[in-house]
Amino acid sequence: PHVQEAHRRWRLPHGEAVARRRDEDRAALAFLGVHAAWGVVPDYLYWPHAGAWIEPSAWRRWLRRLKLVLRPDRTLAIRVRRQAVESIVRACLARWPNSTVLAPLGLGGHPDHRLVATVARTMVPAGVRLGFYEDLPYAARAKPVAQPGMILHPIAVEAYLTQKIAALACYQ
């Protein structure tokens, strides 16, 4: 029900929502001149343990790509998601070894953003530049969720504000 409601709000049929977001991501990233990688991990919205619906055949195809068997175990699902994100980070570090890794800060409580923030903090090796961005609008709408061991060093964004606004305009 939650997935169908989200798609209705976005005015997109089920099969187009993820493709549209990826297109928006690509446009924003191209504008900024940065590289990105997407894995085969479905957004949290589409995970069965989130109370969401996903086409069973698509779910099974995704699990087969990760060589897993479908089990109704929330702990397993979380572990699988983390391993999948870790594999994406490893691939990015191998492909772009001298790049800066940017990840969402994860303070807004969005499950996907918190997972990526945790993986980035624990996996990115010393010597690799690691930065985080405030994941708006989630951080603005939710009470910030503290991340253990996190020390924040805010930077002034005024110099980048015009670019950020233009990149955000790529999203509808």
Side-chain angles (χ1 to χ4, degrees):
H2 183 64
V3 172
Q4 288 88 350
E5 172 59 24
H7 291 178
R8 187 187 63 70
R9 263 193 339 268
W10 300 334
R11 297 184 185 100
L12 290 172
H14 174 72
E16 291 181 30
V18 174
R20 170 78 61 87
R21 176 52 54 92
R22 291 281 166 90
D23 289 344
E24 293 167 343
D25 287 344
R26 285 184 188 97
L29 294 168
F31 173 80
L32 295 171
V34 299
H35 301 289
W38 293 269
V40 295
V41 183
D43 290 349
Y44 183 83
L45 179 67
Y46 299 105
W47 274 72
H49 72 24
W53 175 88
I54 185 168
E55 179 189 342
S57 61
W59 178 247
R60 283 191 293 276
R61 277 193 311 272
W62 181 80
L63 288 169
R64 272 198 309 272
R65 287 175 79 178
L66 291 177
K67 298 178 176 36
L68 296 169
V69 177
L70 180 59
R71 294 187 182 117
D73 177 347
R74 188 171 191 273
T75 304
L76 173 67
I78 292 168
R79 193 168 60 244
V80 167
R81 286 172 58 77
R82 181 179 175 123
Q83 290 170 352
V85 172
E86 288 172 350
S87 73
I88 295 166
V89 171
R90 270 192 297 282
C92 288
L93 290 171
R95 184 170 181 189
W96 301 296
N98 299 319
S99 295
T100 298
V101 175
L102 292 175
L105 194 52
L107 293 180
H110 187 292
D112 292 326
H113 294 193
R114 290 183 68 196
L115 173 62
V116 172
T118 298
V119 168
R121 282 195 330 271
T122 58
M123 279 196 64
V124 174
V128 174
R129 293 174 304 222
L130 175 61
F132 293 93
Y133 58 89
E134 187 175 27
D135 41 347
L136 296 172
Y138 309 103
R141 291 193 305 231
K143 180 180 176 185
V145 178
Q147 300 290 323
M150 187 179 283
I151 299 172
L152 302 178
H153 300 282
I155 60 168
V157 296
E158 290 79 14
Y160 308 102
L161 197 53
T162 302
Q163 279 183 293
K164 183 172 183 167
I165 290 169
L168 288 172
C170 295
Y171 296 89
Q172 297 182 0

